[in-house]
């Protein structure tokens, strides 16, 4: 296309580039609009304790219900929200909404019910992130230990000192920290220790591979054994079959999350379960 536009001369902006920029601007506008028009919605995927099948918590997962009624998954807009910085207000909305929801479910009788929320690296970079979380806890009156912030290994590589300081401050206000998608990034034991995480979530890709690959099964067993000796709680995500569940249960995995038990549910669906 660049050639068509510029003949044999070098052109700096191909049609594709212009399209990409235009699309990005359009998405940014649409995301801003979505936030103002309250088009975001949280789904909640139940987490099950593997020893007795008890419902012990949920993970909040964002969806975008567009004006046209289409349901857009986070994989499609979170990266753009990150790039544009809009993840900061969107993420704050997620935390506040999830905390309010947790309080209302706890008042319904589930006192120790845990609410997990995904926090993206960009949100974490905000200097006042800890302050904002703390303000939301005060405002909603949720007990801090019921809120679990899921971070990914991606936050850790740059600015490790700062990350440690932030996580220490978050621990001080009493929230829990979970390492999401464990095993896919730069996971190292020293990180888990330095970051004082309370739990880790074994990445879905490992769970899917348990019965296809003996090395994946060995990795899952090793993660469970290691976490056990470090006193870390382990959550397996993406559990889709009875066999996977039984393997995890037999190897001491504490909590299970996956389609085998429940898909992400609307708040009304969770209420029917509780
Ligand atoms: P994640 O935090 O690792 O969430 C787990 C994803 O796996 C969810 O996809 C969930 O619906 C899906 N899942 C759960 N069980 C199964 C299963 O048995 N099989 C399969 N195939 N998939 C399963 P979802 O909701 O599309 O979210 C994708 C990612 O988007 C999340 O991965 C998380 O990284 C991000 N995300 C979602 N909500 C938020 C949010 O509020 N804030 C931020 N920053 N990121 C979010
Ligand atoms: Mg997560
Ligand atoms: Mg995950
Ligand atoms: Mg993730």
């Amino acid at each position: 296309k660049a050639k068509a536009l510029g003949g044999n001369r070098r052109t700096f902006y191909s049609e594709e580039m212009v399209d990409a920029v235009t699309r990005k601007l359009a998405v940014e506008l649409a995301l801003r609009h979505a936030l103002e028009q309250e088009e975001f919605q949280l789904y909640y995927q139940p987490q099950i304790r593997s020893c007795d099948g008890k419902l012990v918590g949920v993970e909040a997962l964002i969806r975008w219900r567009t004006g046209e009624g289409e349901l857009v998954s986070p994989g499609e807009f979170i990266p753009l929200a990150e790039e544009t910085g809009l993840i900061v207000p969107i993420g704050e909305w997620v935390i506040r909404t999830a905390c309010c929801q947790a309080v209302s479910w706890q008042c319904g009788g589930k006192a120790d019910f845990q609410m997990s929320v995904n926090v993206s690296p960009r949100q974490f970079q905000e200097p006042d992130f800890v302050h904002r979380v703390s303000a939301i806890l005060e405002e909603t009156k949720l007990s801090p230990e019921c809120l679990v912030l899921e971070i990914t290994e991606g936050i850790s590589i740059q600015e490790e000192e700062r990350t440690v300081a932030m996580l220490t401050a978050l621990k001080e206000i009493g929230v829990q920290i979970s390492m999401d998608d464990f095993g896919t990034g730069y996971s190292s034991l020293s990180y888990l220790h330095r970051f004082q995480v309370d739990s880790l979530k074994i990445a879905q890709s490992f769970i899917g591979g348990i019965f296809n690959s003996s090395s994946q099964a060995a990795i899952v067993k090793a993660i469970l054994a290691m976490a056990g000796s470090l006193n870390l709680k382990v959550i397996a995500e993406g559990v889709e079959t009875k066999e996977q569940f039984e393997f995890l249960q037999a190897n001491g995995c504490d909590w299970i999350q996956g389609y085998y038990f429940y898909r992400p549910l609307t708040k009304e669906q969770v209420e029917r379960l509780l």
Side-chain angles (χ1 to χ4, degrees), residues 150 180-181 201 237:
E150 294 191 5
D180 202 356
D181 303 326
K201 302 187 79 171
E237 56 182 0

Side-chain angles (χ1 to χ4, degrees), residues 149-208:
L149 299 179
E150 294 191 5
I151 58 172
T152 51
E153 293 158 319
I155 68 157
S156 48
I157 24 174
Q158 310 122 4
E159 303 186 279
E160 196 181 323
E161 290 306 318
R162 205 182 145 266
T163 304
V164 170
M166 295 263 304
L167 290 171
T168 305
L170 286 168
K171 300 290 299 183
E172 270 161 19
I173 64 174
V175 302
Q176 297 194 51
I177 307 294
S178 188
M179 187 64 84
D180 202 356
D181 303 326
F182 184 76
T184 56
Y186 309 84
S187 24
S188 87
L189 289 178
S190 68
Y191 273 152
L192 290 179
H193 180 69
R194 289 203 68 195
F195 293 166
Q196 309 176 62
V197 306
D198 301 279
S199 59
L200 54 90
K201 302 187 79 171
I202 305 180
Q204 206 162 301
S205 52
F206 289 114
I207 306 303

Side-chain angles (χ1 to χ4, degrees), residues 208-220:
I210 291 176
F211 291 102
N212 310 328
S213 137
S214 57
S215 61
Q216 302 256 23
I219 291 172
V220 171

Side-chain angles (χ1 to χ4, degrees), residues 46-271:
Q47 298 174 321
I48 298 301
R49 191 160 65 193
S50 68
C51 62
D52 59 3
K54 193 182 166 218
L55 182 66
V56 276
V58 292
E59 176 179 5
L61 295 159
I62 196 171
R63 302 287 181 264
W64 176 10
R65 171 86 59 189
T66 67
E68 289 78 50
E70 190 197 350
L71 201 61
V72 187
S73 69
E76 287 180 59
F77 65 88
I78 292 288
L80 283 151
E82 280 249 332
E83 235 178 280
T84 54
L86 280 171
I87 192 65
V88 175
I90 295 173
E92 188 162 343
W93 176 85
V94 170
I95 298 175
R96 179 172 294 106
T97 306
C99 287
C100 280
Q101 191 58 75
V103 167
S104 103
W105 284 337
Q106 288 183 334
C107 293
K110 285 257 172 193
D112 50 2
F113 198 69
Q114 292 195 354
M115 176 63 75
S116 294
V117 173
N118 293 285
V119 175
S120 78
R122 178 67 178 72
Q123 255 177 294
F124 209 79
Q125 279 165 19
E126 288 294 292
D128 62 347
F129 180 70
V130 180
H131 176 74
R132 279 166 184 265
V133 171
S134 159
I136 291 172
L137 287 169
E138 248 163 62
E139 174 191 322
T140 60
K141 308 272 185 295
L142 180 68
S143 322
E145 66 278 6
C146 295
L147 178 64
V148 182
L149 299 179
E150 294 191 5
I151 58 172
T152 51
E153 293 158 319
I155 68 157
S156 48
I157 24 174
Q158 310 122 4
E159 303 186 279
E160 196 181 323
E161 290 306 318
R162 205 182 145 266
T163 304
V164 170
M166 295 263 304
L167 290 171
T168 305
L170 286 168
K171 300 290 299 183
E172 270 161 19
I173 64 174
V175 302
Q176 297 194 51
I177 307 294
S178 188
M179 187 64 84
D180 202 356
D181 303 326
F182 184 76
T184 56
Y186 309 84
S187 24
S188 87
L189 289 178
S190 68
Y191 273 152
L192 290 179
H193 180 69
R194 289 203 68 195
F195 293 166
Q196 309 176 62
V197 306
D198 301 279
S199 59
L200 54 90
K201 302 187 79 171
I202 305 180
Q204 206 162 301
S205 52
F206 289 114
I207 306 303
I210 291 176
F211 291 102
N212 310 328
S213 137
S214 57
S215 61
Q216 302 256 23
I219 291 172
V220 171
K221 278 192 187 183
I223 293 175
L224 287 165
M226 171 206 79
S229 57
L230 290 173
N231 268 324
L232 293 173
K233 187 166 81 187
V234 184
I235 298 135
E237 56 182 0
V239 178
E240 292 184 345
T241 68
K242 185 166 187 278
E243 290 71 31
Q244 290 167 351
F245 167 58
E246 286 170 353
F247 174 93
L248 291 159
Q249 197 183 31
N251 286 286
C253 184
D254 306 283
W255 287 15
I256 305 286
Q257 194 184 328
Y259 294 175
Y260 175 60
F261 287 101
Y262 299 102
R263 288 181 175 258
L265 305 175
T266 61
K267 94 179 213 274
E268 290 80 13
Q269 288 171 317
V270 175
E271 272 151 22

